[in-house]
Amino acid sequence: MCAAPVLASTREELSKLLTDARRAGHRVGFVPTMGALHAGHASLMDAAREAVGDGPVVVSIFVNPLQFGAGEDLDRYPRTLEADLEVCAAHGVDIVFAPAVDEVYPGSTTGVVEPQVTVDPGPLAGILEGATRPGHFRGVLIVVAKLFGLVRPDVAVFGQKDYQQLALIRRMADDLCLGIDVVGAETVREDDDLALSSRNRYLEPEQREQAVALSRTLRRARADAIHGADSALAAARAELRASEGVDLDYLVITGTDLGPAPSTGEARILIAARVGTTRLIDNMPIHLGTPDRHTS
Ligand code: PAF
């Protein structure tokens, strides 16, 4: 069993903990999370460790009110700090930063006080997830920008499972010259191929079985990608029509940067669907026009 991480709940505590490591010239690795940690998050911690070697790995656990819309599951979002600390300990995390809302958004006693200066996520935030969750990515980028400012990491690791989020954070780091290496870690899957997500816990046993249709649909498309995007999407839609209990929101093929798909070469296929009341997302790389190197 690895040593327990040091828990910091204020900016000052966090800053003191990181000062010595910076003086010693270590690189700092960072994994921002909202807690409810599972094996997917653990793989991000491992990737951060690999990136910084002996340097400190910091995990933040903060359920960010700004990225939840009206009627979304902010209150219902699982808060499991004790169990989360165990996951962090088992994966050699050095520091867990778990601030209160007021620490991140000063002055927030009743309701959240937004900063006056915020981040405009641009057009990428209006498509796909952003089309059904207005303001979501603005809230994500504001908190990630703040957390980047507090932790000042050299490397930050995010999951490819939230591909649009990853693309936007990369874009922010690039466009605003933040000097942070944003790493995208591969999605971790259950044995039956369902992508790990904190939301999977909301699925009833029958819905849990139905949810496998998302990854099956993506793999069906990849198997047909040799004939191009239209053919791949048609095959995938046929696959999905045969799946019960899955209410499709979108199924698209885009460029790897979420721009238009190329006619041949590397692209991304993304799906969002509701299973019962739970909205799930998944995505995979897809190679259009020639046999898919990713197919497995
Ligand atoms: O992916 C998440 O858990 C959150 O969106 C993040 C990046 C921690 C920001 O709150």
Side-chain angles (χ1 to χ4, degrees):
M1 183 73 186
C2 297
V6 181
L7 182 61
S9 54
T10 66
R11 298 170 181 225
E12 285 69 28
E13 283 164 4
L14 177 68
S15 159
K16 273 189 200 139
L17 288 168
L18 285 169
T19 304
D20 288 346
R22 285 215 186 82
R23 279 207 194 108
H26 287 306
R27 278 158 61 77
V28 175
F30 182 37
V31 180
T33 80
M34 298 207 298
L37 302 179
H38 50 63
H41 296 107
S43 78
L44 309 184
M45 298 168 199
D46 295 345
R49 168 62 59 215
E50 201 178 314
V52 299
D54 290 340
V57 170
V58 182
V59 168
S60 64
I61 297 179
F62 179 66
V63 182
N64 172 35
L66 269 200
Q67 69 189 76
F68 288 79
E72 287 189 346
D73 47 7
L74 174 62
D75 292 333
R76 172 165 106 112
Y77 202 87
R79 277 125 172 124
T80 56
L81 185 61
E82 287 309 311
D84 291 348
L85 290 175
E86 281 175 25
V87 176
C88 292
H91 288 268
V93 169
D94 300 285
I95 300 168
V96 170
F97 180 49
V101 173
D102 184 47
E103 193 68 25
V104 177
Y105 300 110
S108 303
T109 39
T110 55
V112 183
V113 176
E114 280 198 21
Q116 284 191 21
V117 177
T118 60
V119 184
D120 176 355
L124 255 191
I127 59 170
L128 304 173
E129 288 307 286
T132 46
R133 305 184 70 188
H136 170 69
F137 288 117
R138 176 176 172 275
V140 170
L141 292 195
I142 289 172
V143 83
V144 170
K146 272 182 169 266
L147 292 168
F148 279 178
L150 292 169
V151 177
R152 290 189 285 128
D154 297 279
V155 181
V157 186
F158 296 84
Q160 291 181 10
K161 155 86 177 18
D162 293 303
Y163 195 78
Q164 190 174 6
Q165 168 174 286
L166 171 64
L168 274 157
I169 291 167
R170 278 206 166 117
R171 192 80 210 213
M172 174 174 77
D174 217 25
D175 285 359
L176 301 184
C177 312
L178 299 184
I180 295 167
D181 184 9
V182 176
V183 172
E186 269 189 34
T187 302
V188 178
R189 297 178 180 279
E190 302 275 11
D191 287 347
D192 64 2
D193 210 28
L194 178 69
L196 290 196
S197 163
S198 310
R199 291 185 177 189
N200 293 353
R201 68 182 68 195
Y202 301 136
L203 298 169
E204 301 292 340
E206 192 189 10
Q207 296 170 342
R208 171 64 188 74
E209 280 176 26
Q210 293 167 336
V212 179
L214 273 79
S215 59
R216 201 169 51 226
T217 300
L218 298 182
R219 293 202 189 277
R220 184 71 190 84
R222 289 182 357 155
D224 238 65
I226 189 166
H227 305 298
D230 290 346
S231 165
L233 287 173
R237 291 212 167 90
E239 175 76 47
L240 198 66
R241 269 196 294 275
S243 314
E244 270 184 39
V246 182
D247 185 11
L248 182 65
D249 180 357
Y250 61 77
L251 173 67
V252 292
I253 296 179
T254 68
T256 53
D257 59 357
L258 295 183
S263 47
T264 58
E266 296 298 325
R268 202 83 192 176
I269 180 161
L270 304 100
I271 189 169
R274 214 167 264 282
V275 181
T277 55
T278 307
R279 193 161 182 285
L280 300 175
I281 57 174
D282 198 356
N283 69 86
M284 291 182 189
I286 187 166
H287 193 86
L288 299 170
T290 51
D292 192 339
R293 294 187 289 104
H294 308 292
T295 306
S296 56

